[in-house]
Amino acid sequence: MTATRSAHSSFPVQARPIVADLFQPKPLLYWLDFAVSLLIAYGFAAIYLQSPLFSLQQWISWPIAAIALYRVASFMHEIVHFRSGEMRRFRIVWDLLAGIPMLTPSFFYESHNDHHNARHYGTHQDGEYLPLGTGPLRHIGIFLFQILLQPIFITLRFLLTPLTFLHPRLRRWTLERASSFVIDFRYRRKISAHAPLRAWAFMDLACSLRAWAIFVLCVVGINDWSRVPLLYALAALSLGLNHLRTLAAHRYLSQGHAVSHETQVFDSTNVTGVPVLTELLFPLGMRYHGLHHLFPRMPYHNLGIAHRRLMEALPSDSPYRDTVYPSWFSVVRELVYHSAQHSIATKGRRTSVLSETVS
C-alpha cells in the first residue's frame, strides 16, 4: 500500500521533466488548423443544406460537415485553457466566425475550469462529470438521450436571451444555471466579481440574433422550412460525436467526493486506437484525456509527442500506463461492466433487505 501511494504521488514529479519543453503553443498551427477546418465545415454544410432532400450528395456531405464542425467547436476546449491574454485574437476570431454562428460561445465553456479543480472534480460542482460507472445502466442511456434534446435546449436558450435582461436577478440566474455546456444539469456556475459581463452579454445577444435568424429567414421565404430539421440533424450529429467521445473520456468511478490530482488523472483515459478514426472522434488531441488532466496547459499539438515520451521514459510499473486503452470500445465496455456490476450489487442489497423485512 505504501509503495503504491508513493508511486501515485511521485508520478507527476517524474513526468514533468520529460515533457517540460512541450507547453508552448504554436499560434500558426492553431490558425491554420482552425482555418482549414472551418472551410471544410462551412463548405460541406452549405452543400448539405442546398442539396435536394435525401439525395446521395446530401447524405455524404452531412457526416463530413458534422465531423468538421465538431473539430471547429473543439477549439473551445483549447481556448478556455489559454492563459490570461494568451492568443486573445484567436479567441475573438473563433467566437466571431464559429462560436456565435454555431451557438457555442466560448464563455459557455469557462465552467470547464471546475472540471480540472481537484476539489470539484467528480462532485456536484463539476458540471462535466456524472458517476456513470457507479450508477445503474439506465443512466448511460439517459446520458446518450441528451443528444436528441441538446440542440433544442440550446436554440431555445438563445431565442429567449433578450428576456433574461429584464431583471438583474433573472440575468444572474441565467448565467449561473443556463449558460454552461455541461452534462450534469444540477451544476451551478459561480460568477466572479471580475467576470466580463459586457462581453458575455454581447456574445449572448449575437447568438440570439443568429438563433432568431434561422426562423425569420424561413418566415420571410428566403429559406425553406426544411432548413430547420436539416440544421437540427447537423447539430445532433455533431453534438452526438462529442457525447460519444465524452463517454470514453473518464472511467466515471468517482463517488462524488473530492479527490487528489493524481486520482483525477487515473479516472481519466488515454485512447490509442486507429489513428485516423480515433482523430475523427477525438479531435485536437482529446484522445489523450488522461494526459490532459495531468497537464491541462499543454497545447493539443504536443499531446501525442508527450504521450509517446512518457510511455518510453516512465518505469514499466508507472500508474500512467493504466490510463491507456486500445480503443473507444474498450473504455465503454469497461464502463458498462462497472455500471452493470453496480446494478447487480444494488439489486442484491434490495433483495436482502426485503427478505429480512419479510422474515
Side-chain angles (χ1 to χ4, degrees):
M1 180 67 73
T2 303
T4 302
R5 287 178 178 174
S6 177
H8 279 220
S9 61
S10 64
F11 163 63
V13 178
Q14 291 177 324
R16 180 167 284 277
I18 300 171
V19 298
D21 60 322
L22 299 178
F23 288 88
Q24 188 63 35
K26 298 178 180 178
L28 180 60
L29 186 56
Y30 274 86
W31 283 105
L32 286 175
D33 195 339
F34 170 57
V36 172
S37 299
L38 192 70
L39 286 173
I40 295 173
Y42 285 176
F44 278 92
I47 295 173
Y48 162 73
L49 294 171
Q50 295 171 12
S51 297
L53 286 176
F54 306 113
S55 64
L56 179 62
Q57 181 174 272
Q58 189 172 71
W59 282 109
I60 294 175
S61 57
W62 176 41
I64 297 175
I67 291 170
L69 286 170
Y70 171 39
R71 184 178 184 85
V72 169
S74 296
F75 276 100
M76 178 168 50
H77 180 254
E78 291 293 306
I79 288 172
V80 298
H81 284 291
F82 288 155
R83 293 180 177 83
S84 179
E86 186 178 35
M87 294 189 68
R88 185 170 179 270
R89 291 181 181 177
F90 182 86
R91 176 171 187 158
I92 293 173
V93 172
W94 184 90
D95 269 311
L96 292 175
L97 297 184
I100 292 171
M102 294 166 59
L103 302 183
T104 56
S106 61
F107 85 91
F108 262 48
Y109 201 54
E110 291 181 9
S111 56
H112 179 67
N113 292 319
D114 284 336
H115 182 55
H116 283 275
N117 189 320
R119 297 189 304 275
H120 298 165
Y121 178 86
T123 71
H124 69 281
Q125 293 176 289
D126 179 2
E128 295 180 41
Y129 195 98
L130 290 169
L132 298 176
T134 56
L137 279 170
R138 67 175 181 275
H139 286 179
I140 297 177
I142 294 172
F143 170 78
L144 293 174
F145 184 69
Q146 292 179 17
I147 296 171
L148 300 178
L149 301 179
Q150 206 166 26
I152 299 173
F153 287 156
I154 292 173
T155 303
L156 286 174
R157 160 64 177 81
F158 287 116
L159 288 175
L160 297 174
T161 289
L163 298 179
T164 69
F165 290 92
L166 292 178
H167 194 280
R169 288 186 179 179
L170 177 58
R171 180 61 184 166
R172 188 170 188 84
W173 183 92
T174 302
L175 291 175
E176 290 178 345
R177 300 299 183 101
S179 298
S180 300
F181 290 131
V182 295
I183 60 176
D184 185 348
F185 300 121
R186 298 169 299 176
Y187 174 77
R188 180 173 179 174
R189 181 179 189 169
K190 293 183 178 180
I191 310 300
S192 167
H194 305 290
L197 298 181
R198 289 186 179 181
W200 290 0
F202 168 80
M203 286 189 279
D204 214 343
L205 290 171
C207 286
S208 182
L209 288 174
R210 164 59 180 149
W212 277 103
I214 294 173
F215 299 94
V216 171
L217 291 176
C218 293
V219 171
V220 300
I222 295 178
N223 290 331
D224 188 81
W225 279 102
S226 62
R227 176 67 62 93
V228 175
L230 286 174
L231 286 173
Y232 168 82
L234 187 60
L237 182 54
S238 185
L239 288 167
L241 290 170
N242 185 56
H243 260 59
L244 291 176
R245 192 268 316 168
T246 301
L247 197 61
H250 300 284
R251 293 188 174 101
Y252 296 106
L253 297 177
S254 172
Q255 298 286 349
H257 307 295
V259 298
S260 66
H261 179 217
E262 291 76 17
T263 302
Q264 181 183 147
V265 173
F266 303 138
D267 190 48
S268 306
T269 66
N270 292 304
V271 180
T272 53
V274 180
V276 175
L277 295 178
T278 306
E279 181 63 23
L280 293 178
L281 188 58
F282 298 86
L284 305 187
M286 289 186 179
R287 67 171 71 181
Y288 304 111
H289 205 66
L291 175 56
H292 170 66
H293 272 265
L294 180 61
F295 300 122
R297 295 289 185 184
M298 184 175 290
Y300 79 96
H301 52 75
N302 284 340
L303 289 173
I305 300 172
H307 176 72
R308 288 188 289 274
R309 284 191 191 177
L310 292 175
M311 292 298 287
E312 291 174 0
L314 288 173
S316 59
D317 61 346
S318 172
Y320 179 78
R321 299 180 187 277
D322 294 333
T323 68
V324 181
Y325 288 78
S327 67
W328 177 89
F329 291 101
S330 62
V331 181
V332 175
R333 183 169 58 246
E334 181 182 282
L335 176 65
V336 171
Y337 170 78
H338 283 301
S339 180
Q341 290 298 110
H342 172 82
S343 297
I344 293 172
T346 301
K347 185 178 180 179
R349 286 195 297 270
R350 288 176 179 173
T351 302
S352 176
V353 171
L354 180 60
S355 298
E356 292 177 3
T357 301
V358 173
S359 299

